[in-house]
Amino acid sequence: MPRTKGAATRVRALAGGGVPALLWRTVLVAGLVCGIGLLPWLSRTDPALTVLRARSADRDPDPETLRAIRDDLGLDDGPLALLGRWLGGLLHGDAGTSWVSGSQVLPGVVQALGASLLLMSGALVVAAGTAAAVCARTLRLGARGRLGARRPGGSATAVLAALPEFLVASVLASVIGVQLGWLPALGWYGPLWMVLPSLALGLPAGAVLGRMLDDLLPGAFGEPWAMAAAARGVPSRSVARQAVRRCVPGLLPSLALFVVGLTGGSVAVEQIFDIPGLGRLTLHAALAQDLPALQTGTLALVLLAATAGLLARLAARVLIGPALRDGALQSLHRPRPPAPRTLPLLYGGLLAAVIGLGLPRDPLALDTLARLRAPSLEHPFGTDALGRDVLARISHGALTSLGTALAVSAAALAAGLLLGLLPRVSGPLVDTLSALPPVLAGLLVTGVMGSGTWTPAFAVAVVAWSPLAAHTSSLLRQERATTHLTATRALGAGRWYLLRHELLPAVAPPVARHALLRLPGIALSLAALGFLGLGAQPPSPDWGLLLAENQPYAERAPWAVLFPAAALALLGALAVTAAGGVRLPRRRTRPAGPAEPPADRVAPAPLRRPDRPHALLTPASASQTEER
């Protein structure tokens, strides 16, 4: 009996709570599915007309035809009756029939989910290799105790993280697939067909994960076990492996979100490579308002997100469970030395120079005689298919693209920190919203709010805070189990003191750096909405719209695509290098007074600073001042 009770307790802990958490998850999933079921009525469009256009775009929408569609689909019964019939059939393993094709929905969703999971597995392999390459230098120096000689980098990582997935996919498909013919570029027929899309998805994701892991590794190498292992001559490879194992639990929630994003959020890549995946299926169902297919696809993504979150929590407990339970962890977040300001100033100056040079130019001026001209003195970045100056469009688009991305990032950081401090509330919410691709969120928000300037930004903000909240909750869980927090609590510190003076100073800086790493990704999400026609509309110079408009001319006029992509890469380099300088200001201790300690008193033992071995020679009071 006790063993059964303990197993039940562990299951509730892994699930993120007991019965209230389960009810909260059920309410969220039901609300999401019901909101999708109400999409045609919320968007104030005629679902019969949308379905008719999806079935046959050339057919005349006369009243008799629309009436026949309404009678066939039962639209006059109302959304609640339709939702009830769909749920009733789902309990018996029947997800209904597609409103567009008339085929059974469930087999198509299962097949699309299989293709997406296979693509996700390939992308994860690429992401793991990319993350290993990003962290290789830190692992090598840390295992040898030479992290003090490490110079911060990250420019190449920033370029990888800032490249749009759809742009990488287009370049790989056109260059490697079409021009060189090394790998197939279209279709989904075997292992060779998944190489290029896996690269397009895995390279940016691996760059972001690698930067997050690289941010935690110095703290792991500074812990006592690592110093003792180095002193006893343990092989550096074993030390590096254990350091990775120590840091991985803090990244598992973010990895779970990447899994869901690579499965349902790879819509643009699936479109380019013609992959019958789940993201593409849900996008087409949303555009055609095919409610049975859309609801079933979304439910599959929600179940995948819940499974990924559960496995992430299980893996974290397997890796650090006993130390987490006994409060025997060391804090991975130690005072950071001042980061060099040369690279952020350099990248920021280049981006400001590009914007400043293009602002005096007219981004809407048409010159049909100067179509697709190469870069010259008159047009430094060339012209697009309508003869408009690319430099002018990049500069004027930066005012809206960068401003919107910064506003969304700031809102996501604030929401992520606040909700991450309440894991019982935010955990189920993160698992549910992470299953909602930004494209589908854009469709839902557009249907409710209508098209507008801030509609894409609100759609991205709906899901942008969830990775930061998951990161906050994970770091908070480990920080609460540290020895110094246990000691501080034993001295009588209250919850508010611990939150203000111990937990937030340890959690907020890495989450803020994570938010800066996400800044290019948020700009890319906004660009992806524009690329798919859900964001800014012509003739707006939005960066996503620039990439979408010039994509068909990439082979003839590559500058029309490369220069907007270079601006995005420059933004990523600026964000990544600036993230290294995010840290809380050090608190200074007040002097003890003019009285000198007695000469016969024994000096206190020096404090060991794991990341600075020479601090063993520093007196304890000075070392404490530096730590603060």
Side-chain angles (χ1 to χ4, degrees), residues 354 358 361-363 372-373 379-385 387-397 541 543 546 550 557 559-564:
V354 170
R361 300 171 178 265
D362 187 1
L372 300 177
R373 284 192 177 178
H379 302 286
F381 286 3
T383 60
D384 62 4
R388 296 172 296 190
D389 189 79
V390 175
L391 174 60
R393 294 184 65 75
I394 291 176
S395 300
H396 286 266
W543 284 3
L546 260 65
N550 298 319
W559 53 84
V561 176
L562 292 179
F563 282 114

PDB file of all heavy atoms in Angstrom, residues 354 358 361-363 372-373 379-385 387-397 541 543 546 550 557 559-564:
ATOM      1  N   VAL A 354      22.520  50.993 -41.877  1.00  0.00           N
ATOM      2  CA  VAL A 354      21.659  50.533 -42.970  1.00  0.00           C
ATOM      3  C   VAL A 354      20.309  51.236 -42.929  1.00  0.00           C
ATOM      4  O   VAL A 354      19.791  51.708 -43.956  1.00  0.00           O
ATOM      5  CB  VAL A 354      21.493  49.005 -42.902  1.00  0.00           C
ATOM      6  CG1 VAL A 354      20.407  48.538 -43.869  1.00  0.00           C
ATOM      7  CG2 VAL A 354      22.806  48.313 -43.222  1.00  0.00           C
ATOM      8  N   GLY A 358      18.830  54.235 -45.757  1.00  0.00           N
ATOM      9  CA  GLY A 358      17.651  53.990 -46.570  1.00  0.00           C
ATOM     10  C   GLY A 358      16.453  54.840 -46.242  1.00  0.00           C
ATOM     11  O   GLY A 358      15.501  54.914 -47.043  1.00  0.00           O
ATOM     12  N   ARG A 361      15.141  57.500 -48.751  1.00  0.00           N
ATOM     13  CA  ARG A 361      14.638  56.977 -50.007  1.00  0.00           C
ATOM     14  C   ARG A 361      13.155  56.613 -49.894  1.00  0.00           C
ATOM     15  O   ARG A 361      12.652  56.333 -48.804  1.00  0.00           O
ATOM     16  CB  ARG A 361      15.439  55.739 -50.429  1.00  0.00           C
ATOM     17  CG  ARG A 361      16.930  56.014 -50.624  1.00  0.00           C
ATOM     18  CD  ARG A 361      17.713  54.727 -50.812  1.00  0.00           C
ATOM     19  NE  ARG A 361      19.121  54.977 -51.035  1.00  0.00           N
ATOM     20  CZ  ARG A 361      19.695  55.053 -52.237  1.00  0.00           C
ATOM     21  NH1 ARG A 361      18.949  54.844 -53.330  1.00  0.00           N
ATOM     22  NH2 ARG A 361      20.970  55.307 -52.370  1.00  0.00           N
ATOM     23  N   ASP A 362      12.486  56.623 -51.026  1.00  0.00           N
ATOM     24  CA  ASP A 362      11.059  56.319 -51.065  1.00  0.00           C
ATOM     25  C   ASP A 362      10.868  54.810 -51.236  1.00  0.00           C
ATOM     26  O   ASP A 362      11.273  54.249 -52.265  1.00  0.00           O
ATOM     27  CB  ASP A 362      10.395  57.063 -52.226  1.00  0.00           C
ATOM     28  CG  ASP A 362       8.878  56.912 -52.220  1.00  0.00           C
ATOM     29  OD1 ASP A 362       8.353  56.256 -51.312  1.00  0.00           O
ATOM     30  OD2 ASP A 362       8.219  57.455 -53.132  1.00  0.00           O
ATOM     31  N   PRO A 363      10.249  54.117 -50.265  1.00  0.00           N
ATOM     32  CA  PRO A 363      10.101  52.660 -50.394  1.00  0.00           C
ATOM     33  C   PRO A 363       8.977  52.238 -51.339  1.00  0.00           C
ATOM     34  O   PRO A 363       8.869  51.060 -51.661  1.00  0.00           O
ATOM     35  CB  PRO A 363       9.786  52.221 -48.963  1.00  0.00           C
ATOM     36  CG  PRO A 363       9.088  53.390 -48.367  1.00  0.00           C
ATOM     37  CD  PRO A 363       9.728  54.613 -48.988  1.00  0.00           C
ATOM     38  N   LEU A 372      14.520  44.441 -61.011  1.00  0.00           N
ATOM     39  CA  LEU A 372      15.505  43.410 -60.677  1.00  0.00           C
ATOM     40  C   LEU A 372      16.925  43.808 -61.093  1.00  0.00           C
ATOM     41  O   LEU A 372      17.694  42.999 -61.607  1.00  0.00           O
ATOM     42  CB  LEU A 372      15.122  42.075 -61.329  1.00  0.00           C
ATOM     43  CG  LEU A 372      13.771  41.497 -60.916  1.00  0.00           C
ATOM     44  CD1 LEU A 372      13.491  40.210 -61.686  1.00  0.00           C
ATOM     45  CD2 LEU A 372      13.716  41.229 -59.418  1.00  0.00           C
ATOM     46  N   ARG A 373      17.266  45.054 -60.858  1.00  0.00           N
ATOM     47  CA  ARG A 373      18.624  45.507 -61.160  1.00  0.00           C
ATOM     48  C   ARG A 373      19.569  45.119 -60.031  1.00  0.00           C
ATOM     49  O   ARG A 373      19.203  45.131 -58.862  1.00  0.00           O
ATOM     50  CB  ARG A 373      18.645  47.017 -61.366  1.00  0.00           C
ATOM     51  CG  ARG A 373      18.082  47.453 -62.712  1.00  0.00           C
ATOM     52  CD  ARG A 373      18.377  48.908 -62.987  1.00  0.00           C
ATOM     53  NE  ARG A 373      17.904  49.302 -64.314  1.00  0.00           N
ATOM     54  CZ  ARG A 373      17.997  50.538 -64.794  1.00  0.00           C
ATOM     55  NH1 ARG A 373      18.556  51.489 -64.042  1.00  0.00           N
ATOM     56  NH2 ARG A 373      17.538  50.811 -66.008  1.00  0.00           N
ATOM     57  N   HIS A 379      21.341  52.229 -56.590  1.00  0.00           N
ATOM     58  CA  HIS A 379      20.562  51.329 -55.739  1.00  0.00           C
ATOM     59  C   HIS A 379      21.544  50.379 -55.044  1.00  0.00           C
ATOM     60  O   HIS A 379      21.866  49.317 -55.585  1.00  0.00           O
ATOM     61  CB  HIS A 379      19.550  50.536 -56.560  1.00  0.00           C
ATOM     62  CG  HIS A 379      18.591  51.387 -57.325  1.00  0.00           C
ATOM     63  ND1 HIS A 379      17.547  52.061 -56.722  1.00  0.00           N
ATOM     64  CD2 HIS A 379      18.510  51.671 -58.658  1.00  0.00           C
ATOM     65  CE1 HIS A 379      16.857  52.722 -57.647  1.00  0.00           C
ATOM     66  NE2 HIS A 379      17.428  52.507 -58.821  1.00  0.00           N
ATOM     67  N   PRO A 380      22.051  50.729 -53.850  1.00  0.00           N
ATOM     68  CA  PRO A 380      23.096  49.922 -53.211  1.00  0.00           C
ATOM     69  C   PRO A 380      22.688  48.480 -52.950  1.00  0.00           C
ATOM     70  O   PRO A 380      23.536  47.592 -52.978  1.00  0.00           O
ATOM     71  CB  PRO A 380      23.359  50.672 -51.897  1.00  0.00           C
ATOM     72  CG  PRO A 380      22.919  52.070 -52.154  1.00  0.00           C
ATOM     73  CD  PRO A 380      21.765  51.961 -53.092  1.00  0.00           C
ATOM     74  N   PHE A 381      21.412  48.232 -52.706  1.00  0.00           N
ATOM     75  CA  PHE A 381      20.929  46.865 -52.462  1.00  0.00           C
ATOM     76  C   PHE A 381      20.131  46.327 -53.649  1.00  0.00           C
ATOM     77  O   PHE A 381      19.497  45.279 -53.527  1.00  0.00           O
ATOM     78  CB  PHE A 381      20.065  46.819 -51.206  1.00  0.00           C
ATOM     79  CG  PHE A 381      20.839  46.915 -49.919  1.00  0.00           C
ATOM     80  CD1 PHE A 381      22.224  47.090 -49.928  1.00  0.00           C
ATOM     81  CD2 PHE A 381      20.201  46.844 -48.691  1.00  0.00           C
ATOM     82  CE1 PHE A 381      22.946  47.190 -48.753  1.00  0.00           C
ATOM     83  CE2 PHE A 381      20.919  46.937 -47.505  1.00  0.00           C
ATOM     84  CZ  PHE A 381      22.294  47.112 -47.542  1.00  0.00           C
ATOM     85  N   GLY A 382      20.176  46.982 -54.781  1.00  0.00           N
ATOM     86  CA  GLY A 382      19.443  46.531 -55.947  1.00  0.00           C
ATOM     87  C   GLY A 382      17.970  46.914 -55.875  1.00  0.00           C
ATOM     88  O   GLY A 382      17.529  47.664 -54.995  1.00  0.00           O
ATOM     89  N   THR A 383      17.198  46.395 -56.818  1.00  0.00           N
ATOM     90  CA  THR A 383      15.762  46.665 -56.884  1.00  0.00           C
ATOM     91  C   THR A 383      14.999  45.344 -56.923  1.00  0.00           C
ATOM     92  O   THR A 383      15.552  44.283 -57.216  1.00  0.00           O
ATOM     93  CB  THR A 383      15.413  47.490 -58.129  1.00  0.00           C
ATOM     94  OG1 THR A 383      15.789  46.760 -59.304  1.00  0.00           O
ATOM     95  CG2 THR A 383      16.143  48.827 -58.117  1.00  0.00           C
ATOM     96  N   ASP A 384      13.680  45.440 -56.657  1.00  0.00           N
ATOM     97  CA  ASP A 384      12.853  44.239 -56.643  1.00  0.00           C
ATOM     98  C   ASP A 384      12.120  44.090 -57.970  1.00  0.00           C
ATOM     99  O   ASP A 384      12.452  44.756 -58.964  1.00  0.00           O
ATOM    100  CB  ASP A 384      11.882  44.276 -55.473  1.00  0.00           C
ATOM    101  CG  ASP A 384      10.904  45.441 -55.549  1.00  0.00           C
ATOM    102  OD1 ASP A 384      10.926  46.180 -56.556  1.00  0.00           O
ATOM    103  OD2 ASP A 384      10.113  45.617 -54.609  1.00  0.00           O
ATOM    104  N   ALA A 385      11.128  43.226 -58.020  1.00  0.00           N
ATOM    105  CA  ALA A 385      10.445  42.915 -59.274  1.00  0.00           C
ATOM    106  C   ALA A 385       9.637  44.078 -59.813  1.00  0.00           C
ATOM    107  O   ALA A 385       9.293  44.096 -61.001  1.00  0.00           O
ATOM    108  CB  ALA A 385       9.526  41.703 -59.081  1.00  0.00           C
ATOM    109  N   GLY A 387      10.767  47.283 -59.442  1.00  0.00           N
ATOM    110  CA  GLY A 387      11.693  48.397 -59.580  1.00  0.00           C
ATOM    111  C   GLY A 387      11.833  49.244 -58.333  1.00  0.00           C
ATOM    112  O   GLY A 387      12.406  50.346 -58.398  1.00  0.00           O
ATOM    113  N   ARG A 388      11.344  48.777 -57.193  1.00  0.00           N
ATOM    114  CA  ARG A 388      11.465  49.546 -55.950  1.00  0.00           C
ATOM    115  C   ARG A 388      12.826  49.302 -55.305  1.00  0.00           C
ATOM    116  O   ARG A 388      13.374  48.206 -55.397  1.00  0.00           O
ATOM    117  CB  ARG A 388      10.338  49.167 -54.980  1.00  0.00           C
ATOM    118  CG  ARG A 388       8.950  49.523 -55.487  1.00  0.00           C
ATOM    119  CD  ARG A 388       7.863  48.973 -54.604  1.00  0.00           C
ATOM    120  NE  ARG A 388       7.857  47.511 -54.579  1.00  0.00           N
ATOM    121  CZ  ARG A 388       6.899  46.779 -54.049  1.00  0.00           C
ATOM    122  NH1 ARG A 388       5.850  47.373 -53.506  1.00  0.00           N
ATOM    123  NH2 ARG A 388       6.964  45.467 -54.060  1.00  0.00           N
ATOM    124  N   ASP A 389      13.340  50.305 -54.631  1.00  0.00           N
ATOM    125  CA  ASP A 389      14.658  50.234 -54.018  1.00  0.00           C
ATOM    126  C   ASP A 389      14.608  49.315 -52.799  1.00  0.00           C
ATOM    127  O   ASP A 389      13.827  49.539 -51.859  1.00  0.00           O
ATOM    128  CB  ASP A 389      15.111  51.632 -53.605  1.00  0.00           C
ATOM    129  CG  ASP A 389      16.559  51.657 -53.151  1.00  0.00           C
ATOM    130  OD1 ASP A 389      17.448  51.666 -54.007  1.00  0.00           O
ATOM    131  OD2 ASP A 389      16.788  51.623 -51.921  1.00  0.00           O
ATOM    132  N   VAL A 390      15.436  48.266 -52.799  1.00  0.00           N
ATOM    133  CA  VAL A 390      15.428  47.295 -51.710  1.00  0.00           C
ATOM    134  C   VAL A 390      15.944  47.909 -50.420  1.00  0.00           C
ATOM    135  O   VAL A 390      15.416  47.643 -49.330  1.00  0.00           O
ATOM    136  CB  VAL A 390      16.259  46.053 -52.097  1.00  0.00           C
ATOM    137  CG1 VAL A 390      16.366  45.080 -50.936  1.00  0.00           C
ATOM    138  CG2 VAL A 390      15.646  45.361 -53.307  1.00  0.00           C
ATOM    139  N   LEU A 391      16.971  48.769 -50.507  1.00  0.00           N
ATOM    140  CA  LEU A 391      17.494  49.420 -49.313  1.00  0.00           C
ATOM    141  C   LEU A 391      16.423  50.271 -48.643  1.00  0.00           C
ATOM    142  O   LEU A 391      16.280  50.260 -47.408  1.00  0.00           O
ATOM    143  CB  LEU A 391      18.709  50.274 -49.673  1.00  0.00           C
ATOM    144  CG  LEU A 391      19.303  51.133 -48.546  1.00  0.00           C
ATOM    145  CD1 LEU A 391      19.752  50.264 -47.384  1.00  0.00           C
ATOM    146  CD2 LEU A 391      20.454  51.987 -49.068  1.00  0.00           C
ATOM    147  N   ALA A 392      15.648  51.001 -49.433  1.00  0.00           N
ATOM    148  CA  ALA A 392      14.588  51.832 -48.870  1.00  0.00           C
ATOM    149  C   ALA A 392      13.527  50.986 -48.190  1.00  0.00           C
ATOM    150  O   ALA A 392      13.045  51.327 -47.092  1.00  0.00           O
ATOM    151  CB  ALA A 392      13.963  52.686 -49.971  1.00  0.00           C
ATOM    152  N   ARG A 393      13.178  49.870 -48.787  1.00  0.00           N
ATOM    153  CA  ARG A 393      12.140  49.023 -48.203  1.00  0.00           C
ATOM    154  C   ARG A 393      12.638  48.340 -46.928  1.00  0.00           C
ATOM    155  O   ARG A 393      11.882  48.162 -45.970  1.00  0.00           O
ATOM    156  CB  ARG A 393      11.672  48.004 -49.232  1.00  0.00           C
ATOM    157  CG  ARG A 393      10.951  48.657 -50.406  1.00  0.00           C
ATOM    158  CD  ARG A 393      10.398  47.651 -51.383  1.00  0.00           C
ATOM    159  NE  ARG A 393       9.351  46.821 -50.833  1.00  0.00           N
ATOM    160  CZ  ARG A 393       8.101  47.212 -50.613  1.00  0.00           C
ATOM    161  NH1 ARG A 393       7.745  48.459 -50.877  1.00  0.00           N
ATOM    162  NH2 ARG A 393       7.202  46.374 -50.115  1.00  0.00           N
ATOM    163  N   ILE A 394      13.917  47.946 -46.901  1.00  0.00           N
ATOM    164  CA  ILE A 394      14.466  47.359 -45.670  1.00  0.00           C
ATOM    165  C   ILE A 394      14.482  48.395 -44.558  1.00  0.00           C
ATOM    166  O   ILE A 394      14.108  48.108 -43.408  1.00  0.00           O
ATOM    167  CB  ILE A 394      15.874  46.804 -45.934  1.00  0.00           C
ATOM    168  CG1 ILE A 394      15.803  45.567 -46.838  1.00  0.00           C
ATOM    169  CG2 ILE A 394      16.573  46.458 -44.629  1.00  0.00           C
ATOM    170  CD1 ILE A 394      17.150  45.024 -47.218  1.00  0.00           C
ATOM    171  N   SER A 395      14.897  49.597 -44.848  1.00  0.00           N
ATOM    172  CA  SER A 395      15.010  50.638 -43.813  1.00  0.00           C
ATOM    173  C   SER A 395      13.652  51.029 -43.263  1.00  0.00           C
ATOM    174  O   SER A 395      13.456  51.109 -42.044  1.00  0.00           O
ATOM    175  CB  SER A 395      15.715  51.867 -44.404  1.00  0.00           C
ATOM    176  OG  SER A 395      17.008  51.534 -44.853  1.00  0.00           O
ATOM    177  N   HIS A 396      12.695  51.286 -44.142  1.00  0.00           N
ATOM    178  CA  HIS A 396      11.373  51.676 -43.661  1.00  0.00           C
ATOM    179  C   HIS A 396      10.659  50.499 -43.001  1.00  0.00           C
ATOM    180  O   HIS A 396       9.870  50.703 -42.070  1.00  0.00           O
ATOM    181  CB  HIS A 396      10.541  52.226 -44.819  1.00  0.00           C
ATOM    182  CG  HIS A 396      10.961  53.591 -45.258  1.00  0.00           C
ATOM    183  ND1 HIS A 396      10.375  54.749 -44.788  1.00  0.00           N
ATOM    184  CD2 HIS A 396      11.932  53.995 -46.119  1.00  0.00           C
ATOM    185  CE1 HIS A 396      10.952  55.808 -45.341  1.00  0.00           C
ATOM    186  NE2 HIS A 396      11.899  55.378 -46.161  1.00  0.00           N
ATOM    187  N   GLY A 397      10.902  49.280 -43.473  1.00  0.00           N
ATOM    188  CA  GLY A 397      10.303  48.126 -42.819  1.00  0.00           C
ATOM    189  C   GLY A 397      10.879  47.846 -41.454  1.00  0.00           C
ATOM    190  O   GLY A 397      10.215  47.253 -40.597  1.00  0.00           O
ATOM    191  N   PRO A 541       6.372  47.722 -46.499  1.00  0.00           N
ATOM    192  CA  PRO A 541       7.758  47.218 -46.581  1.00  0.00           C
ATOM    193  C   PRO A 541       8.124  46.297 -45.427  1.00  0.00           C
ATOM    194  O   PRO A 541       9.297  46.264 -45.018  1.00  0.00           O
ATOM    195  CB  PRO A 541       8.578  48.501 -46.555  1.00  0.00           C
ATOM    196  CG  PRO A 541       7.779  49.441 -45.718  1.00  0.00           C
ATOM    197  CD  PRO A 541       6.329  49.106 -45.973  1.00  0.00           C
ATOM    198  N   TRP A 543       9.408  43.196 -43.366  1.00  0.00           N
ATOM    199  CA  TRP A 543      10.490  42.295 -43.766  1.00  0.00           C
ATOM    200  C   TRP A 543       9.958  40.943 -44.220  1.00  0.00           C
ATOM    201  O   TRP A 543      10.468  40.352 -45.168  1.00  0.00           O
ATOM    202  CB  TRP A 543      11.464  42.128 -42.601  1.00  0.00           C
ATOM    203  CG  TRP A 543      12.354  43.318 -42.419  1.00  0.00           C
ATOM    204  CD1 TRP A 543      12.315  44.479 -43.145  1.00  0.00           C
ATOM    205  CD2 TRP A 543      13.406  43.478 -41.471  1.00  0.00           C
ATOM    206  NE1 TRP A 543      13.267  45.351 -42.692  1.00  0.00           N
ATOM    207  CE2 TRP A 543      13.962  44.769 -41.669  1.00  0.00           C
ATOM    208  CE3 TRP A 543      13.923  42.674 -40.471  1.00  0.00           C
ATOM    209  CZ2 TRP A 543      15.007  45.244 -40.905  1.00  0.00           C
ATOM    210  CZ3 TRP A 543      14.971  43.149 -39.701  1.00  0.00           C
ATOM    211  CH2 TRP A 543      15.508  44.420 -39.919  1.00  0.00           C
ATOM    212  N   LEU A 546       8.679  41.400 -47.639  1.00  0.00           N
ATOM    213  CA  LEU A 546       9.793  41.524 -48.587  1.00  0.00           C
ATOM    214  C   LEU A 546      10.293  40.147 -49.015  1.00  0.00           C
ATOM    215  O   LEU A 546      10.515  39.894 -50.207  1.00  0.00           O
ATOM    216  CB  LEU A 546      10.937  42.316 -47.944  1.00  0.00           C
ATOM    217  CG  LEU A 546      11.078  43.796 -48.311  1.00  0.00           C
ATOM    218  CD1 LEU A 546       9.870  44.574 -47.806  1.00  0.00           C
ATOM    219  CD2 LEU A 546      12.354  44.366 -47.705  1.00  0.00           C
ATOM    220  N   ASN A 550       9.821  38.607 -52.903  1.00  0.00           N
ATOM    221  CA  ASN A 550      11.020  38.406 -53.716  1.00  0.00           C
ATOM    222  C   ASN A 550      11.450  36.950 -53.804  1.00  0.00           C
ATOM    223  O   ASN A 550      12.410  36.639 -54.525  1.00  0.00           O
ATOM    224  CB  ASN A 550      12.177  39.242 -53.143  1.00  0.00           C
ATOM    225  CG  ASN A 550      11.890  40.721 -53.178  1.00  0.00           C
ATOM    226  OD1 ASN A 550      11.339  41.234 -54.155  1.00  0.00           O
ATOM    227  ND2 ASN A 550      12.244  41.434 -52.119  1.00  0.00           N
ATOM    228  N   ALA A 557      17.447  37.183 -59.155  1.00  0.00           N
ATOM    229  CA  ALA A 557      17.901  38.372 -58.421  1.00  0.00           C
ATOM    230  C   ALA A 557      18.088  38.005 -56.958  1.00  0.00           C
ATOM    231  O   ALA A 557      17.249  38.328 -56.110  1.00  0.00           O
ATOM    232  CB  ALA A 557      16.895  39.504 -58.577  1.00  0.00           C
ATOM    233  N   TRP A 559      19.916  39.139 -54.670  1.00  0.00           N
ATOM    234  CA  TRP A 559      20.094  40.247 -53.742  1.00  0.00           C
ATOM    235  C   TRP A 559      18.759  40.692 -53.128  1.00  0.00           C
ATOM    236  O   TRP A 559      18.730  41.190 -52.004  1.00  0.00           O
ATOM    237  CB  TRP A 559      20.743  41.426 -54.456  1.00  0.00           C
ATOM    238  CG  TRP A 559      20.025  41.836 -55.709  1.00  0.00           C
ATOM    239  CD1 TRP A 559      18.945  42.671 -55.813  1.00  0.00           C
ATOM    240  CD2 TRP A 559      20.324  41.414 -57.032  1.00  0.00           C
ATOM    241  NE1 TRP A 559      18.541  42.777 -57.106  1.00  0.00           N
ATOM    242  CE2 TRP A 559      19.380  42.042 -57.886  1.00  0.00           C
ATOM    243  CE3 TRP A 559      21.290  40.589 -57.592  1.00  0.00           C
ATOM    244  CZ2 TRP A 559      19.378  41.839 -59.268  1.00  0.00           C
ATOM    245  CZ3 TRP A 559      21.298  40.411 -58.962  1.00  0.00           C
ATOM    246  CH2 TRP A 559      20.358  41.029 -59.793  1.00  0.00           C
ATOM    247  N   ALA A 560      17.673  40.510 -53.842  1.00  0.00           N
ATOM    248  CA  ALA A 560      16.374  40.930 -53.325  1.00  0.00           C
ATOM    249  C   ALA A 560      15.952  40.101 -52.121  1.00  0.00           C
ATOM    250  O   ALA A 560      15.098  40.546 -51.327  1.00  0.00           O
ATOM    251  CB  ALA A 560      15.314  40.836 -54.418  1.00  0.00           C
ATOM    252  N   VAL A 561      16.523  38.909 -51.961  1.00  0.00           N
ATOM    253  CA  VAL A 561      16.223  38.051 -50.814  1.00  0.00           C
ATOM    254  C   VAL A 561      17.359  38.072 -49.800  1.00  0.00           C
ATOM    255  O   VAL A 561      17.128  38.063 -48.588  1.00  0.00           O
ATOM    256  CB  VAL A 561      15.952  36.609 -51.279  1.00  0.00           C
ATOM    257  CG1 VAL A 561      15.745  35.690 -50.096  1.00  0.00           C
ATOM    258  CG2 VAL A 561      14.735  36.566 -52.190  1.00  0.00           C
ATOM    259  N   LEU A 562      18.601  38.117 -50.287  1.00  0.00           N
ATOM    260  CA  LEU A 562      19.746  38.023 -49.387  1.00  0.00           C
ATOM    261  C   LEU A 562      19.886  39.247 -48.489  1.00  0.00           C
ATOM    262  O   LEU A 562      20.248  39.116 -47.312  1.00  0.00           O
ATOM    263  CB  LEU A 562      21.029  37.814 -50.198  1.00  0.00           C
ATOM    264  CG  LEU A 562      21.150  36.463 -50.909  1.00  0.00           C
ATOM    265  CD1 LEU A 562      22.449  36.386 -51.702  1.00  0.00           C
ATOM    266  CD2 LEU A 562      21.087  35.323 -49.898  1.00  0.00           C
ATOM    267  N   PHE A 563      19.600  40.435 -48.999  1.00  0.00           N
ATOM    268  CA  PHE A 563      19.768  41.628 -48.166  1.00  0.00           C
ATOM    269  C   PHE A 563      18.731  41.706 -47.047  1.00  0.00           C
ATOM    270  O   PHE A 563      19.088  42.030 -45.902  1.00  0.00           O
ATOM    271  CB  PHE A 563      19.748  42.883 -49.041  1.00  0.00           C
ATOM    272  CG  PHE A 563      21.044  43.125 -49.751  1.00  0.00           C
ATOM    273  CD1 PHE A 563      21.125  43.047 -51.139  1.00  0.00           C
ATOM    274  CD2 PHE A 563      22.200  43.428 -49.055  1.00  0.00           C
ATOM    275  CE1 PHE A 563      22.309  43.263 -51.813  1.00  0.00           C
ATOM    276  CE2 PHE A 563      23.404  43.651 -49.717  1.00  0.00           C
ATOM    277  CZ  PHE A 563      23.469  43.566 -51.092  1.00  0.00           C
ATOM    278  N   PRO A 564      17.436  41.411 -47.273  1.00  0.00           N
ATOM    279  CA  PRO A 564      16.523  41.328 -46.113  1.00  0.00           C
ATOM    280  C   PRO A 564      16.918  40.228 -45.136  1.00  0.00           C
ATOM    281  O   PRO A 564      16.813  40.412 -43.917  1.00  0.00           O
ATOM    282  CB  PRO A 564      15.161  41.053 -46.759  1.00  0.00           C
ATOM    283  CG  PRO A 564      15.269  41.588 -48.136  1.00  0.00           C
ATOM    284  CD  PRO A 564      16.686  41.362 -48.539  1.00  0.00           C
TER     285      PRO A 564
END
